[in-house]
Amino acid sequence: QIGVNPSLANRLRIGFAITFALLAGVTVIGVGRLFQLRQDFEDDTTRSFQVEIAGEHLRQAFLIEQTALRDGDRARASFRRAVSTSGRAAADARRLAAGDPGAERLVRRRLAAEQRWRARVARPLLAGRSPPPARHARLSENVINRGDALISRENLHREALREEVEGDTRTTALLVGVGLVSGLIAAVLLFTGLIASMRRPLERLVGAAGRLADGDLRARVSVSGPAETATLGTAFNEMADQLQSAYRRVEESRERLAI
């Protein structure tokens, strides 16, 4: 029975290559994932700070609008300039909040509150009609509260981002660890199998050698396993054949002499 496999050295090289590729792949994927998580966290955090700064700019622009209304004869011109500044701040806030539904919603509410204040407070004041103080205070406070809600939301959003990236980092690190351990276990099983594949032919070879030493000249081994043990098995079988042939010749000579 002949079943010669590649040499043990080649199989070990292949095993090492597969193990290295597996471990390297897991490591590269894990490191890449961790890097991407960190990059996404930094990008999202940066944008959150930018949205918060835009909210602060909106607050300052609103204060300038309120101050412009008290600028006497120049109130109209001052208010127009303040509204222009506020418009630029609003455009920045919309641009930075784009893609974040929570921030977009709060920016819309903040700007809508400011529009109501302009329509019901600022324009009447510029026209010489003072709105009821309660309405003035309520609408002004509503604009400020909406802006504060946007700023507070960004603080909470960054905290949520931090908790999320920490959880994702732990999960990724755990998966990488499991992958590396699995790769090492697979390598141990692979090398154990390789060693066993060499040990079994050697055990059969030792057993056949024992039978041959006990006089069983028909003892042979199947040539199988790695090339190294297959070579030993072939050499053993050839030696056994030669011994059997020599024994047969000796017996034939003895029989001739006995005649």
Side-chain angles (χ1 to χ4, degrees):
Q1 178 183 352
I2 299 178
V4 181
N5 296 318
S7 68
L8 184 62
N10 288 335
R11 296 171 72 183
L12 286 173
R13 281 195 292 268
I14 294 172
F16 275 120
I18 293 174
T19 302
F20 177 79
L22 176 63
L23 297 180
V26 170
T27 302
V28 169
I29 292 173
V31 171
R33 174 62 177 163
L34 290 173
F35 177 80
Q36 188 62 50
L37 286 173
R38 177 56 58 180
Q39 188 65 45
D40 291 343
F41 170 71
E42 291 177 356
D43 291 343
D44 292 341
T45 300
T46 299
R47 189 171 71 164
S48 177
F49 274 116
Q50 291 174 336
V51 172
E52 181 177 347
I53 292 171
E56 292 288 352
H57 289 167
L58 287 173
R59 175 188 291 174
Q60 295 170 7
F62 180 62
L63 292 176
I64 293 173
E65 287 185 56
Q66 289 179 307
T67 303
L69 294 175
R70 296 192 293 270
D71 204 10
D73 296 337
R74 297 177 299 176
R76 288 183 178 276
S78 297
F79 186 73
R80 282 197 299 271
R81 289 193 296 271
V83 170
S84 177
T85 300
S86 182
R88 290 192 294 272
D92 287 340
R94 289 193 190 95
R95 176 178 57 82
L96 292 169
D100 185 343
E104 287 180 336
R105 182 176 63 255
L106 291 176
V107 168
R108 285 197 303 269
R109 290 179 178 177
R110 162 62 179 75
L111 298 180
E114 189 172 32
Q115 289 297 332
R116 288 193 295 271
W117 175 84
R118 288 174 184 167
R120 300 179 185 180
V121 175
R123 292 192 181 94
L125 283 174
L126 291 173
R129 302 190 307 273
S130 296
R135 179 194 300 171
H136 189 166
R138 176 173 55 82
L139 293 177
S140 298
E141 184 178 0
N142 192 35
V143 175
I144 294 172
N145 288 342
R146 298 290 187 181
D148 290 344
L150 174 63
I151 293 172
S152 298
R153 186 265 179 187
E154 292 308 313
N155 286 324
L156 295 175
H157 181 53
R158 287 194 298 276
E159 184 62 30
L161 288 173
R162 187 176 300 106
E163 293 177 358
E164 181 180 356
V165 74
E166 288 175 353
D168 289 345
T169 299
R170 285 193 297 269
T171 301
T172 302
L174 178 62
L175 292 176
V176 171
V178 170
L180 292 176
V181 171
S182 299
L184 291 174
I185 291 174
V188 170
L189 293 176
L190 173 63
F191 297 137
T192 300
L194 291 175
I195 293 172
S197 69
M198 189 172 185
R199 186 182 65 246
R200 285 190 293 270
L202 288 176
E203 289 174 348
R204 290 195 294 268
L205 185 61
V206 170
R211 294 197 304 274
L212 185 63
D214 291 337
D216 183 4
L217 298 180
R218 293 175 299 176
R220 300 291 188 275
V221 295
S222 60
V223 179
S224 61
E228 294 85 353
T229 55
T231 300
L232 287 176
T234 300
F236 175 84
N237 289 339
E238 291 175 353
M239 180 189 68
D241 290 340
Q242 291 172 3
L243 285 175
Q244 192 174 34
S245 297
Y247 180 79
R248 189 179 300 114
R249 288 194 298 272
V250 169
E251 287 297 317
E252 291 174 352
S253 298
R254 182 179 301 168
E255 290 174 359
R256 285 195 298 271
L257 290 175
I259 294 174

